[in-house]
Amino acid sequence: MSEAATTLDGWYGLHDFRKMDWTSWKQLTSDERTAAINEFQQFLKKLNDVQDQDQGSHSFYSIVGQKADFVLFILRPTMEELNDLENEFNKLTIADYTVPTYSYVSVVELGSYGSKDSDEDPYENPYVRSRLYPKLPKSKHICFYPMDKKREGNDNWYMLSMEDRKKLMYDHGMIGRQYAGKIKQIISGSVGFDDWEWGVTLYADDVLQFKKIVYEMRFDETSARYGEFGAFYVGNLLEDEDLPKFLHV
């Protein structure tokens, strides 16, 4: 049996994708819509307060295309907190005018592949902590996609030796390093949590960087031979104060 890679695990994450039921939303009076928006803004303020206390983080983006209208990506220390927030949102008035289109449950992770640089507790390392418990950026754009490693015949990632996987992941990571400062990446593991094995969330101020990094990585053996990818979601930052404009009809 091949050696399993160990992981460092941080905050739990929920990507909640929704479509607006614009037809029903339009049937509300102006006052009813305003009240619903104010209630939603109070919910977002609560999320901001938690983020300011470094007890979690979140992102709020409109989605381009027909897969969804917006995504709320929430990070919290426990799965119970995620569930509570999901239920709290579902009880808001605005939720009555949304249709859930997709969700993704995972935990922010760093894969070590057996590397041990020191005897230091990695969870006390400031760099590691910043990766496991990130404050999600407010970049102009977001891109999310789930992915698996293949388990088919000769292209079975899980039958490769640890040494081979470490080398492939090192080469794969070198491509990503070329986009440092252009893209912020959050990798979250979802084995046992969702239908795919990992979720990848990218942030950038230049949306073309998503196209460039994903295309370039297609030529890397880790992706070209062993990678399988789900649907891609791309969107634009929704600041809290822009919510009334987004929901205006």
Side-chain angles (χ1 to χ4, degrees), residues 125-229:
N125 182 299
Y127 171 74
V128 171
R129 291 187 63 82
S130 71
R131 295 285 301 277
L132 295 178
Y133 314 110
K135 184 172 184 179
L136 298 176
K138 286 199 171 185
S139 303
K140 291 181 180 179
H141 309 287
I142 194 173
C143 175
F144 170 79
Y145 59 92
M147 63 167 294
D148 282 345
K149 289 292 197 301
K150 284 185 181 177
R151 294 176 289 167
E152 299 175 357
N154 293 327
D155 296 335
N156 189 328
W157 176 261
Y158 295 96
M159 294 302 292
L160 295 177
S161 68
M162 172 64 76
E163 182 179 351
D164 288 342
R165 280 179 284 138
K166 285 180 70 172
K167 182 182 185 306
L168 286 167
M169 289 304 295
Y170 175 81
D171 293 342
H172 187 73
M174 290 303 292
I175 296 175
R177 289 185 180 91
Q178 297 174 25
Y179 290 84
K182 300 177 182 178
I183 293 177
K184 169 79 172 180
Q185 175 179 263
I186 306 294
I187 302 294
S188 51
S190 44
V191 175
F193 291 162
D194 220 303
D195 297 336
W196 295 80
E197 295 175 332
W198 290 278
V200 180
T201 309
L202 307 176
Y203 297 88
D205 287 326
D206 177 4
V207 73
L208 275 176
Q209 297 304 316
F210 299 148
K211 177 177 180 289
K212 292 179 184 298
I213 191 173
V214 172
Y215 179 68
E216 186 172 353
M217 284 191 167
R218 286 288 192 270
F219 293 91
D220 173 66
E221 186 176 0
T222 304
S223 294
R225 185 172 180 183
Y226 298 104
E228 293 185 317
F229 302 87

Side-chain angles (χ1 to χ4, degrees), residues 11-105:
W11 279 336
Y12 295 91
L14 171 65
H15 291 74
D16 190 345
F17 291 88
R18 306 267 177 149
K19 276 188 178 180
M20 287 296 301
D21 180 356
W22 293 113
T23 301
S24 297
W25 181 247
K26 290 176 184 178
Q27 292 175 0
L28 294 178
T29 66
S30 177
D31 287 345
E32 288 172 330
R33 285 195 297 269
T34 298
I37 291 170
N38 289 339
E39 182 186 48
F40 191 11
Q41 287 179 315
Q42 286 301 308
F43 175 77
L44 293 173
K45 181 181 183 302
K46 176 181 174 180
L47 299 186
N48 285 329
D49 291 342
V50 172
Q51 182 166 273
D52 290 342
Q53 297 167 16
D54 296 323
Q55 297 299 311
S57 192
H58 70 281
S59 288
F60 188 39
Y61 282 76
S62 63
I63 297 298
V64 181
Q66 300 302 306
K67 297 188 184 100
D69 285 314
F70 67 84
V71 60
L72 186 58
F73 176 28
I74 302 175
L75 296 175
R76 285 297 183 271
T78 68
M79 194 73 80
E80 289 85 353
E81 289 172 273
L82 283 185
N83 200 190
D84 288 344
L85 285 170
E86 180 184 14
N87 290 331
E88 185 175 344
F89 176 83
N90 285 331
K91 294 171 185 176
L92 298 177
T93 302
I94 191 70
D96 295 341
Y97 303 93
T98 69
V99 179
T101 59
Y102 187 60
S103 67
Y104 200 80
V105 179

